[in-house]
Amino acid sequence: MKIAKECYLKAIKILKKNLTSFGFSAGGEKYSNQVWTRDICITGLGILQTKEKDLILGLKKSLENLKKSQTDLGMIPSFYSPKYIDYGKSGTIGALR
């Protein structure tokens, strides 16, 4: 198997592993219940290229939850979790010194 195809299949496997009922989790135990806006926007570009229906539905669910969490002023959260929504306290790039 060519290395590009092997990497592609491994990436699909990882994406499917991080698919949850509320969208794509950021992964790992610490972030398993969080959809990070930055990550899903970048990952979503690749997901759309796969044409995998379950991945595309997971992307849609992620974006729907982020949209649902948008403030009246238009702020999109840094991350969405069923238990907590973060609007920048999590250490966004603007918080770095």
Side-chain angles (χ1 to χ4, degrees):
M1 183 182 313
K2 295 198 179 215
I3 192 150
K5 182 70 171 178
E6 185 178 337
C7 292
Y8 174 83
L9 293 174
K10 284 183 179 183
I12 296 294
K13 185 176 179 181
I14 291 168
L15 286 168
K16 289 184 178 190
K17 181 180 174 187
N18 289 332
L19 192 51
T20 70
S21 61
F22 54 86
F24 283 96
S25 73
E29 198 170 308
K30 184 177 179 182
Y31 304 107
S32 63
N33 66 343
Q34 300 172 355
V35 174
W36 282 76
T37 304
R38 171 201 61 210
D39 297 350
I40 198 60
C41 287
I42 294 167
T43 305
L45 296 173
I47 288 170
L48 291 172
Q49 296 301 309
T50 70
K51 297 183 176 57
E52 297 262 345
K53 289 182 182 181
D54 55 339
L55 296 181
I56 293 170
L57 287 173
L59 171 61
K60 182 179 179 183
K61 186 65 152 175
S62 297
L63 294 174
E64 285 172 346
N65 279 319
L66 291 169
K67 181 182 183 279
K68 185 171 60 176
S69 305
Q70 186 175 11
T71 70
D72 291 338
L73 295 175
M75 284 180 60
I76 303 290
S78 299
F79 73 80
Y80 166 86
S81 166
K83 295 181 180 179
Y84 179 75
I85 300 169
D86 182 274
Y87 292 95
K89 294 180 183 175
S90 60
T92 59
I93 193 70
L96 297 177
R97 297 173 197 245

